[in-house]
Amino acid sequence: MAEKVTIYDISKKLKISAATVSRALNDNPKISEKTRELVLKTATEMNYKQNRLAQALKSGRTNNVGVIIPFINRSFFSSVIRGIEEELSPHGYHVIICQSHEDVNNEIKQIDTLLNTQVDGIFMSVAKTTQDTSHIKKALTEKTPLVFFDRKKEVKGLSSVVIDDFKGGYLATEHLIKQGCTKIAHCYGDLSVALYKNRHQGYLEALKDNGITPLRRFSLQTNSKLESGISAIKELWKFDEKPDAIFCSSDYVALGAIQQLRQLGVKIPEEICVVGFSNEPFTKYMELPITSVDQTPFEMGKIAAQVFLEKIKGSQTLTTEKHVILAPKLFVRDSSNRNL
């Protein structure tokens, strides 16, 4: 195996000191532009690779950040990551992606690994099973900025970027009421997770503001899977009184619900309107496009990165909290639009 080229090899070839080579490679202003260009050209020709570990030890930074998400195969999370990368890439940062698979034990291991790798920051959407936050607080102990996005925990000293889930739930329900619906069912997620709780509260508040009494049997807890939407319709159709609208806290649940309703021969939106949440790409490309609440994930990622940069550049202290709440957007499509 060929030996790695060092700054000493470059200095020997150019007959200049190793210190000059080092300064040129690190854009030291004391080095002339002519010398810098010559060193860089020679380094490229000799296939010189800078020692990132040595650079990190010297600067105190690795230029790596970690992103912990429940799943990578959801367009929402991949869009958030794209926003983070687009904002941080010009600053020389690289992104390390970790999946918790909704398991707090995985989350604990990943935070430990990222901290041991000495990342410059962590972006995190917590797992549904996360209750205790002691592993998250390690970031503060290690003086590593951590920014929550989408799903967060209340941890003193940590910042977050989320959407107004209450408003999202309210907008979806209000839209259904404006379509003439009065018997609105809600398929909600785990209410121990703040965002699902807030969407459910938005649903209830919209009903209250419009003089509609919610029926207990019209509220069903589901997980964010197509199969849950199918099961929800089967459960609702056990009763004589059927809903005339369904608001789902997940587009996947809405998709399952629509599939089952069609199998039952129920006309959408004439007999029942359906609204989802997240605005997954498939919602607008289906034969029956699905109305959905958009969470602006790309913007969320970019703003989370901006919050991190403010901390790392020293314009904020490590424990300065910044909480950004983005406005959700409702995209009305054929699954709920009776005004076509």
Side-chain angles (χ1 to χ4, degrees), residues 62-98:
T62 62
N63 272 43
N64 290 325
V65 296
V67 180
I68 302 175
I69 53 175
F71 301 104
I72 190 65
N73 63 346
R74 293 291 171 93
S75 67
F76 170 79
F77 291 115
S78 58
S79 293
V80 172
I81 292 169
R82 187 165 63 90
I84 292 171
E85 285 184 325
E86 186 166 302
E87 194 69 24
L88 294 185
S89 182
H91 298 273
Y93 286 97
H94 307 277
V95 174
I96 300 170
I97 301 169
C98 304

Coordinates of all heavy atoms in Angstrom, one line a residue, residues 62-98:
T62 N -15.2 19.1 14.4 CA -15.1 18.1 13.4 C -15.8 18.4 12.1 O -15.6 17.7 11.2 CB -15.7 16.8 14.0 OG1 -17.1 17.0 14.3 CG2 -15.0 16.3 15.3
N63 N -16.6 19.4 12.1 CA -17.4 19.8 11.0 C -18.4 18.7 10.6 O -18.8 18.6 9.5 CB -16.6 20.2 9.8 CG -16.2 21.7 9.8 OD1 -15.8 22.2 10.9 ND2 -16.3 22.3 8.7
N64 N -18.8 17.9 11.6 CA -19.8 16.9 11.5 C -21.0 17.2 12.4 O -20.7 17.6 13.5 CB -19.3 15.5 11.8 CG -18.3 15.0 10.8 OD1 -18.4 15.2 9.6 ND2 -17.3 14.2 11.2
V65 N -22.2 17.0 11.9 CA -23.3 17.1 12.8 C -24.1 15.8 12.7 O -24.1 15.1 11.6 CB -24.2 18.3 12.4 CG1 -23.5 19.6 12.7 CG2 -24.8 18.2 11.0
G66 N -24.8 15.4 13.7 CA -25.7 14.2 13.7 C -27.2 14.6 13.6 O -27.6 15.6 14.1
V67 N -27.9 13.8 12.9 CA -29.4 13.9 12.8 C -30.0 12.6 13.2 O -29.8 11.6 12.6 CB -29.8 14.3 11.3 CG1 -31.3 14.5 11.3 CG2 -29.1 15.6 10.9
I68 N -30.8 12.7 14.2 CA -31.5 11.5 14.7 C -33.0 11.6 14.4 O -33.7 12.5 14.8 CB -31.3 11.3 16.2 CG1 -29.8 11.3 16.6 CG2 -32.1 10.1 16.7 CD1 -29.6 11.2 18.1
I69 N -33.5 10.6 13.6 CA -34.9 10.6 13.2 C -35.5 9.2 13.4 O -34.7 8.2 13.5 CB -35.0 10.9 11.7 CG1 -34.1 10.0 10.8 CG2 -34.6 12.4 11.4 CD1 -34.2 10.2 9.3
P70 N -36.8 9.1 13.5 CA -37.4 7.8 13.6 C -37.2 6.9 12.4 O -36.8 5.8 12.6 CB -38.9 8.2 13.8 CG -38.9 9.6 14.3 CD -37.8 10.2 13.6
F71 N -37.4 7.4 11.2 CA -37.2 6.7 10.0 C -36.7 7.5 8.9 O -37.1 8.7 8.8 CB -38.6 6.1 9.5 CG -39.2 5.1 10.6 CD1 -40.3 5.6 11.3 CD2 -38.8 3.9 10.8 CE1 -40.9 4.8 12.2 CE2 -39.4 3.0 11.7 CZ -40.4 3.5 12.4
I72 N -35.9 7.0 8.0 CA -35.4 7.7 6.9 C -36.3 7.6 5.7 O -36.3 8.4 4.7 CB -34.0 7.2 6.5 CG1 -33.3 8.2 5.4 CG2 -34.0 5.8 5.9 CD1 -33.0 9.5 5.9
N73 N -37.2 6.6 5.7 CA -38.0 6.3 4.5 C -39.4 7.1 4.5 O -40.3 6.7 3.8 CB -38.3 4.8 4.3 CG -39.1 4.2 5.5 OD1 -39.2 4.9 6.5 ND2 -39.6 3.0 5.3
R74 N -39.4 8.1 5.2 CA -40.6 9.0 5.2 C -40.1 10.3 4.5 O -39.1 10.9 4.9 CB -41.1 9.3 6.6 CG -41.8 8.1 7.2 CD -43.1 7.7 6.5 NE -43.6 6.4 7.0 CZ -44.5 6.3 8.0 NH1 -44.9 7.3 8.6 NH2 -44.9 5.1 8.3
S75 N -40.9 10.8 3.5 CA -40.4 12.0 2.8 C -40.3 13.2 3.7 O -39.5 14.1 3.5 CB -41.4 12.3 1.6 OG -42.6 12.7 2.1
F76 N -41.1 13.2 4.8 CA -41.0 14.4 5.7 C -39.6 14.5 6.3 O -39.0 15.5 6.2 CB -42.0 14.2 6.9 CG -41.8 15.2 8.0 CD1 -42.3 16.5 7.8 CD2 -41.1 14.9 9.1 CE1 -42.1 17.5 8.8 CE2 -40.9 15.8 10.1 CZ -41.4 17.1 10.0
F77 N -39.1 13.4 6.8 CA -37.8 13.4 7.4 C -36.7 13.6 6.4 O -35.7 14.3 6.7 CB -37.5 12.1 8.3 CG -38.4 12.1 9.5 CD1 -39.4 11.1 9.6 CD2 -38.3 13.0 10.5 CE1 -40.2 11.0 10.7 CE2 -39.1 13.0 11.6 CZ -40.0 12.0 11.8
S78 N -36.8 13.0 5.2 CA -35.8 13.2 4.2 C -35.7 14.7 3.7 O -34.7 15.2 3.4 CB -36.0 12.3 3.0 OG -37.2 12.4 2.4
S79 N -36.9 15.3 3.7 CA -37.0 16.7 3.4 C -36.3 17.6 4.4 O -35.7 18.6 4.1 CB -38.4 17.2 3.1 OG -38.9 16.5 2.0
V80 N -36.5 17.3 5.7 CA -35.9 18.0 6.8 C -34.4 17.9 6.7 O -33.7 18.9 6.8 CB -36.4 17.5 8.2 CG1 -35.5 18.2 9.3 CG2 -37.8 17.8 8.4
I81 N -33.9 16.7 6.4 CA -32.4 16.5 6.3 C -31.9 17.3 5.1 O -30.8 17.9 5.2 CB -32.1 15.0 6.1 CG1 -32.5 14.2 7.4 CG2 -30.7 14.8 5.7 CD1 -32.5 12.7 7.2
R82 N -32.6 17.3 4.0 CA -32.2 18.1 2.8 C -32.1 19.6 3.2 O -31.1 20.3 2.8 CB -33.2 17.9 1.7 CG -32.7 18.5 0.4 CD -33.5 18.0 -0.8 NE -34.9 18.3 -0.7 CZ -35.5 19.5 -1.2 NH1 -34.8 20.4 -1.8 NH2 -36.8 19.7 -1.0
G83 N -33.0 20.1 4.0 CA -33.0 21.5 4.4 C -31.8 21.7 5.3 O -31.1 22.8 5.2
I84 N -31.5 20.8 6.2 CA -30.3 20.9 7.1 C -29.0 21.0 6.3 O -28.2 21.8 6.5 CB -30.3 19.8 8.2 CG1 -31.5 20.0 9.1 CG2 -29.0 19.8 8.9 CD1 -31.6 18.8 10.1
E85 N -28.9 20.0 5.4 CA -27.7 19.9 4.5 C -27.5 21.1 3.7 O -26.4 21.6 3.6 CB -27.8 18.6 3.7 CG -27.6 17.3 4.4 CD -27.5 16.1 3.5 OE1 -28.3 16.1 2.5 OE2 -26.8 15.2 3.7
E86 N -28.6 21.6 3.1 CA -28.5 22.8 2.2 C -28.0 24.0 2.9 O -27.2 24.8 2.4 CB -29.8 23.0 1.5 CG -29.7 24.1 0.4 CD -30.9 24.2 -0.5 OE1 -31.2 23.2 -1.1 OE2 -31.6 25.2 -0.5
E87 N -28.4 24.1 4.2 CA -28.1 25.3 5.0 C -26.6 25.2 5.5 O -25.9 26.1 5.6 CB -29.0 25.5 6.1 CG -29.0 26.8 6.9 CD -29.5 28.0 6.0 OE1 -30.3 27.7 5.1 OE2 -29.0 29.1 6.3
L88 N -26.2 23.9 5.9 CA -24.9 23.7 6.5 C -23.8 23.5 5.6 O -22.6 23.7 5.9 CB -25.0 22.6 7.6 CG -25.9 22.9 8.8 CD1 -25.8 21.7 9.8 CD2 -25.6 24.2 9.5
S89 N -24.1 22.9 4.4 CA -23.0 22.5 3.5 C -22.1 23.7 3.1 O -20.9 23.5 3.1 CB -23.6 21.9 2.2 OG -22.7 21.5 1.3
P90 N -22.6 24.9 2.8 CA -21.7 26.0 2.5 C -20.8 26.4 3.6 O -19.8 27.1 3.4 CB -22.7 27.2 2.2 CG -24.0 26.5 1.9 CD -24.0 25.3 2.7
H91 N -21.1 25.9 4.9 CA -20.3 26.2 6.0 C -19.3 25.1 6.3 O -18.6 25.1 7.3 CB -21.1 26.5 7.3 CG -22.0 27.7 7.1 ND1 -21.6 29.0 7.4 CD2 -23.3 27.8 6.7 CE1 -22.6 29.8 7.2 NE2 -23.6 29.1 6.8
G92 N -19.3 24.1 5.4 CA -18.3 23.0 5.5 C -18.7 21.8 6.4 O -17.9 21.0 6.7
Y93 N -20.0 21.8 6.7 CA -20.5 20.7 7.6 C -21.0 19.5 6.8 O -21.5 19.6 5.7 CB -21.6 21.2 8.5 CG -21.2 22.1 9.6 CD1 -21.2 23.5 9.5 CD2 -20.6 21.6 10.8 CE1 -20.8 24.4 10.4 CE2 -20.2 22.5 11.8 CZ -20.3 23.8 11.6 OH -19.8 24.7 12.6
H94 N -20.8 18.3 7.5 CA -21.3 17.0 6.9 C -22.3 16.4 7.9 O -22.2 16.6 9.1 CB -20.1 16.1 6.7 CG -19.0 16.6 5.9 ND1 -19.0 16.7 4.5 CD2 -17.8 17.3 6.3 CE1 -17.9 17.2 4.1 NE2 -17.2 17.6 5.1
V95 N -23.3 15.7 7.3 CA -24.4 15.2 8.1 C -24.2 13.7 8.3 O -24.0 12.9 7.3 CB -25.7 15.5 7.5 CG1 -26.9 14.9 8.2 CG2 -25.9 17.0 7.4
I96 N -24.4 13.3 9.6 CA -24.4 11.8 9.9 C -25.8 11.5 10.3 O -26.4 12.1 11.2 CB -23.5 11.5 11.1 CG1 -22.0 11.9 10.7 CG2 -23.6 10.0 11.5 CD1 -21.1 11.8 11.9
I97 N -26.5 10.5 9.6 CA -27.9 10.2 9.8 C -28.0 9.0 10.7 O -27.4 7.9 10.4 CB -28.6 10.1 8.5 CG1 -28.5 11.3 7.6 CG2 -30.1 9.7 8.7 CD1 -28.9 11.2 6.2
C98 N -28.9 9.1 11.7 CA -29.1 7.9 12.6 C -30.7 7.7 12.6 O -31.4 8.7 12.7 CB -28.6 8.2 14.0 SG -26.9 8.6 14.1

